[in-house]
Amino acid sequence: MTDLADLDLFTDGDPHEAWRALRRDSPVHWNPAAGDTAGGTGSSGFWALTRYQDVHDAYVDAALFSSRWGTVMGGSHRRDADSASGRMLIASDDPQHRLMRQQVHKAFLPALMDRARRVVRDYVDAALGRMLEDGGGDFATDVAPEPPAGLLAAMFGLGRTDALHLLALTRSMIGYQDPRYHSGSTPPAVLVSSQVEIFDLMMDLMETRRRAPSDDLVSILLGASVNGRPFTEDEVLYNCLNVAVGGNETTPFTASAAVQAFIDSPGQARLLRDDPGLLATAVEEVFRWTSTNAYVQRVATRDVELHGQLIRAGDAVTLWNASANRDEEKFPDADRFDVRRTPNRHIAFGVGVHRCIGMGAAQMEIGLLLREIARRGISFEAAGPPDRLRSNFMLGLTRLPVRATVSRDRS
Ligand code: HEM
C-alpha cells in the first residue's frame, strides 16, 4: 500500500507512480504516520490530496484549511500549534498573515531584487566557469547553491562565505532526516542544533542592523509594524528564518533537478540552446516538472466531506503539489518534460494568500542559470548516479556528478 510517510519511496522508489495510483484510485487518501500501524483518523496520520483541482481548491479555502499548525509534517506537532504559529508568514492565517506579508513584501521590491540579480549573475557565472575549467564536477554542490547564495547575500547583506554558511545550516535543518546531515548525531538533535545556530546568526544580524540600519531584509523588518505596533523580535526572527529557508532550500534543488531533466531529455536542452526565446516557458516547465516543494500541510478547521470521505476538524491534510503538477486531467502528456509547454498553470509555488512570496526571485535565479547555460552552449552528461535527498517535503538531489562541455558550434 502507498505510504507517503515512507522516506525510502523518495530515495529509492518512484513517488510519481504512487501519486498516479492515488489520483486514480484514492484521491482523498488516509495515510498513517510513519510507524503507525493502527491507522484510522483518530490516530496520527494525514489525509493526502493528489488531484490538481482538489489541491488547488484546498489552497484557496484558507479558512477551512488552516496554516496555523505549520506546513511541514513532523516540523510541528499536529495537535499543538507550531511554535512559529502567528509569528511566521507560512505558519499564520489571515488577518495576521496578511499584515505581516505586506511588511515582508518590501524586501522583494525592485530595488533589492535588482541588486540580487547582479549578485546571482556573478555567482552563477563564476561557478559555471569553474565547472567548465574542470570539465565537470558535482552540479548539486558546485553550482546549484550559488543562485540562492547570491540572493540571500543581497537580501541579508552578507558576503558569499556567510551566505553559503547560512545555506549549509538551512540544508541540515530541512534535510535533518538524511544521513548525510546527521552523521554522529540523531535527526532530532540535528534539527534542533541547526535551528539554534540559525537563530543565533539572525540575532547577531539583528544586533548589527539595530546599530547600523541598512536596506536589507533584517533592517526592513526591524522597522516594520502591524496595526501601528512594531514587529516583535520573534516576528523579525521567524520571518527572516522563513525567507532564508524558503530561499535556500528550494532553488538549488530545482537547479539540480533541471539539469537532470535536460540530461534525460537532450532534445529539450538543444531546443532551448537554439532558441533563447523559449527561456520563459522553459523556466515554468522546470518548476512544474521538479515541484521541489512536494507538499504543504494544512489542518481542517471543521468537518468537511470530499469525494465521499469525511475529513474531521483537527485532521492534518497534505496538498501534494508534485502530484497535482503531473495530473493528466490538467496537463496534456503530463509526464513529458516540454520546454515549449503552454499553457502551464502549475502550482509549484502554491495558490492563494500564501502563494510563494519569493516566486519572482526564484524565476530570476533559475532564469539566469538556464540563460547562462544556454548562452555558453554548455552540455551536461551524467558522470555517475545521483543521490536523492531523504525527505518527502523537498524533492532534491544532494549529488549530481556531471561532465560539462561546450557544444562545438559555441566553442
Ligand atoms: C523553486 C523555488 C520555490 C518553490 C518551489 C517554493 C514553493 C513555495 C510554496 C509551495 C509556498 C506556499 C506555502 C503554503 O501555501 O503553505 C511558498 C511560500 C513561501 N516561500 Fe517559496 N518557493 C520557492 C522559492 C522561494 C524563495 C526564493 C523564497 C525567498 C527568498 C521563498 C520564500 C517563501 C516564503 C517566505 C513563503 C511563505 C509565504 C506566505 O506564507 O505568505 N520561496 N513557497
Side-chain angles (χ1 to χ4, degrees):
M1 200 191 63
T2 300
D3 180 6
L4 296 174
D6 173 10
L7 300 188
D8 290 345
L9 176 64
F10 295 84
T11 48
D12 306 312
D14 182 358
H16 285 288
E17 196 182 305
W19 289 319
R20 202 173 304 125
L22 289 178
R23 285 195 301 272
R24 189 186 56 228
D25 303 328
S26 183
V28 183
H29 179 73
W30 177 257
N31 198 122
D36 181 358
T37 48
T41 58
S43 64
S44 70
F46 55 92
W47 293 101
L49 306 187
T50 43
R51 288 186 183 164
Y52 182 95
Q53 201 57 48
D54 295 334
V55 171
H56 176 279
D57 294 352
Y59 266 119
V60 171
D61 198 342
L64 173 55
F65 294 109
S66 168
S67 292
R68 228 158 23 95
W69 282 265
T71 53
V72 190
M73 290 187 285
S76 55
H77 302 286
R78 196 160 57 78
R79 306 272 167 210
D80 308 319
D82 190 295
S83 55
S85 181
R87 296 183 283 187
M88 184 193 256
L89 276 186
I90 210 157
S92 308
D93 290 334
D94 282 350
Q96 174 70 8
H97 163 262
R98 191 181 60 247
L99 295 171
M100 284 195 298
R101 186 163 165 127
Q102 283 162 356
Q103 303 299 314
V104 179
H105 186 250
K106 292 178 187 166
F108 291 89
L109 294 176
L112 201 45
M113 285 301 113
D114 286 348
R115 191 164 75 225
R117 174 187 299 276
R118 288 192 293 276
V119 183
V120 171
R121 200 181 45 218
D122 289 351
Y123 285 16
V124 166
D125 203 32
L128 287 175
R130 285 192 297 271
M131 178 158 271
L132 279 177
E133 260 171 43
D134 295 346
D138 178 358
F139 190 90
T141 53
D142 297 344
V143 178
E146 300 292 334
L151 178 76
L152 279 253
M155 291 193 78
F156 284 87
L158 301 171
R160 181 165 170 273
T161 308
D162 286 341
L164 286 170
H165 177 58
L166 179 57
L167 202 132
L169 291 173
T170 53
R171 176 61 49 91
S172 49
M173 181 182 140
I174 291 294
Y176 72 100
Q177 296 186 87
D178 192 310
R180 174 179 301 254
Y181 304 111
H182 62 74
S183 58
S185 186
T186 62
V190 168
L191 178 63
V192 170
S193 70
S194 42
Q195 273 173 345
V196 167
E197 218 182 311
I198 297 171
F199 276 132
D200 285 349
L201 196 150
M202 294 294 169
M203 294 290 276
D204 288 348
L205 265 180
M206 280 164 66
E207 206 36 57
T208 313
R209 300 289 185 263
R210 260 197 203 101
R211 276 187 268 113
S214 177
D215 60 352
D216 64 321
L217 171 72
V218 182
S219 306
I220 288 171
L221 294 188
L222 282 170
S225 55
V226 276
N227 284 334
R229 66 146 180 90
F231 256 35
T232 63
E233 188 160 275
D234 276 354
E235 284 166 342
V236 178
L237 207 55
Y238 276 113
N239 285 298
C240 285
L241 179 68
N242 198 170
V243 172
V245 173
N248 278 344
E249 292 316 306
T250 47
T251 44
F253 289 134
T254 305
S256 298
V259 166
Q260 175 77 74
F262 284 116
I263 290 174
D264 293 342
S265 306
Q268 297 294 314
R270 266 194 306 276
L271 277 176
L272 181 58
R273 212 164 39 227
D274 294 345
D275 181 0
L278 290 177
L279 186 65
T281 50
V283 168
E284 292 314 313
E285 180 66 344
V286 160
F287 289 130
R288 181 190 77 91
W289 185 254
T290 55
S291 291
T292 302
N293 186 173
Y295 75 86
V296 299
Q297 178 188 244
R298 298 292 193 257
V299 170
T301 54
R302 58 174 166 78
D303 290 0
V304 59
E305 202 183 301
L306 187 58
H307 298 304
Q309 296 282 6
L310 178 64
I311 298 174
R312 290 194 184 281
D315 282 353
V317 182
T318 51
L319 284 46
W320 291 85
N321 302 321
S323 172
N325 283 338
R326 297 284 182 99
D327 188 338
E328 36 294 283
E329 294 288 312
K330 179 70 184 174
F331 300 98
D333 216 353
D335 282 324
R336 192 175 127 76
F337 177 64
D338 176 4
V339 295
R340 289 185 289 198
R341 184 179 292 277
T342 177
N344 189 352
R345 297 182 66 81
H346 67 78
I347 46 178
F349 294 103
V351 188
V353 295
H354 286 278
R355 192 174 76 165
C356 180
I357 201 169
M359 184 174 82
Q363 286 164 331
M364 176 265 281
E365 289 177 60
I366 299 299
L368 279 175
L369 178 70
L370 295 192
R371 197 186 67 181
E372 200 50 29
I373 290 173
R375 190 187 67 76
R376 288 175 177 243
I378 304 176
S379 285
F380 293 106
E381 270 175 73
D387 287 344
R388 287 146 72 181
L389 180 72
R390 190 168 173 76
S391 166
N392 58 359
F393 180 61
M394 285 293 155
L395 303 182
L397 302 175
T398 51
R399 202 176 84 94
L400 179 60
V402 292
R403 270 184 295 279
T405 49
V406 173
S407 331
R408 248 176 290 139
D409 51 330
R410 303 292 173 100
S411 52

